[in-house]
Amino acid sequence: MGTLLNDFSPGLFAMQIVILIILLFLMKKFAWKPILNSLEERETGISDALASAENARKEMQNLQADNERLFKEAREERDAIMKDARHVSATIIAEAKEEAKEVTSALIEKAQASIQQEKQAALAELKKYVAEISIGIAETVIKKELSSKKDQLALVEEILKEVTLN
């Protein structure tokens, strides 16, 4: 350090101070403002990026909430559609059963009416046949002049044995 003090020159020191002041003035005038401006721009850019990231995070949360809401609505709509489909199918089945009952009832009524007609026709045929037999018996009885009632009854029984009903 002793050599440093021996080599000290006050003129050189003053010149270096003046150069330092001029350099600081020039830096303040030309470099300091652009450096501060770029630092402020960078700080603004970083804060904007952070704000954008926060907005993106909030938007992502909103989108997730919207997705969940839409998913829930879709599920509710699907459930409502399924409920309606079940109701419609139950209604269709009930209507089909009712229609089948009506058709069955109509067929039964038609069959019963047909049976009744056949029965009436058979009874009419039977009456006609019985009437023909009775007339035949009466003719036979009249043709034969039978003297006793016993002979007449025997003749009627004999004719009845000959006639078989189907």
Side-chain angles (χ1 to χ4, degrees), residues 100-159:
K101 284 181 184 178
E102 290 173 2
V103 168
T104 304
S105 296
L107 288 175
I108 289 172
E109 288 175 11
K110 191 175 181 181
Q112 286 176 344
S114 177
I115 290 170
Q116 189 65 27
Q117 286 177 352
E118 293 290 326
K119 182 179 172 184
Q120 292 296 328
L123 283 175
E125 179 103 11
L126 186 61
K127 285 180 184 179
K128 181 181 172 187
Y129 187 64
V130 168
E132 288 175 0
I133 291 174
S134 296
I135 290 173
I137 291 173
E139 283 179 0
T140 309
V141 168
I142 291 174
K143 284 182 183 177
K144 283 191 175 188
E145 293 183 29
L146 299 174
S147 59
S148 75
K149 199 170 195 172
K150 184 178 178 188
D151 291 338
Q152 288 178 0
L153 284 176
L155 180 63
V156 169
E157 285 180 15
E158 183 182 323
I159 293 173

Side-chain angles (χ1 to χ4, degrees), residues 21-40:
I21 291 174
I22 291 173
L23 185 63
L24 286 176
F25 175 74
L26 287 174
M27 283 194 63
K28 183 180 178 192
K29 179 93 176 166
F30 296 108
W32 194 255
K33 283 186 183 179
I35 290 173
L36 285 179
N37 285 340
S38 73
L39 286 176
E40 285 179 16

Side-chain angles (χ1 to χ4, degrees), residues 14-127:
M15 187 57 108
Q16 286 179 347
I17 295 262
V18 169
I19 290 174
L20 181 65
I21 291 174
I22 291 173
L23 185 63
L24 286 176
F25 175 74
L26 287 174
M27 283 194 63
K28 183 180 178 192
K29 179 93 176 166
F30 296 108
W32 194 255
K33 283 186 183 179
I35 290 173
L36 285 179
N37 285 340
S38 73
L39 286 176
E40 285 179 16
E41 286 175 11
R42 185 165 182 189
E43 185 178 332
T44 304
I46 291 172
S47 66
D48 287 347
L50 289 174
S52 295
E54 182 65 24
N55 287 339
R57 186 184 63 78
K58 286 180 183 178
E59 189 174 329
M60 189 64 121
Q61 286 177 344
N62 290 339
L63 288 175
Q64 285 177 341
D66 286 346
N67 285 343
E68 289 175 12
R69 180 183 53 80
L70 289 173
F71 186 69
K72 183 178 177 183
E73 287 175 2
R75 191 177 311 133
E76 289 172 356
E77 187 174 341
R78 180 204 64 196
D79 292 343
I81 289 172
M82 292 296 291
K83 182 179 177 184
D84 288 345
R86 285 187 201 108
H87 177 69
V88 167
S89 74
T91 303
I92 290 172
I93 289 171
E95 288 174 358
K97 285 181 180 179
E98 188 64 32
E99 186 176 333
K101 284 181 184 178
E102 290 173 2
V103 168
T104 304
S105 296
L107 288 175
I108 289 172
E109 288 175 11
K110 191 175 181 181
Q112 286 176 344
S114 177
I115 290 170
Q116 189 65 27
Q117 286 177 352
E118 293 290 326
K119 182 179 172 184
Q120 292 296 328
L123 283 175
E125 179 103 11
L126 186 61
K127 285 180 184 179

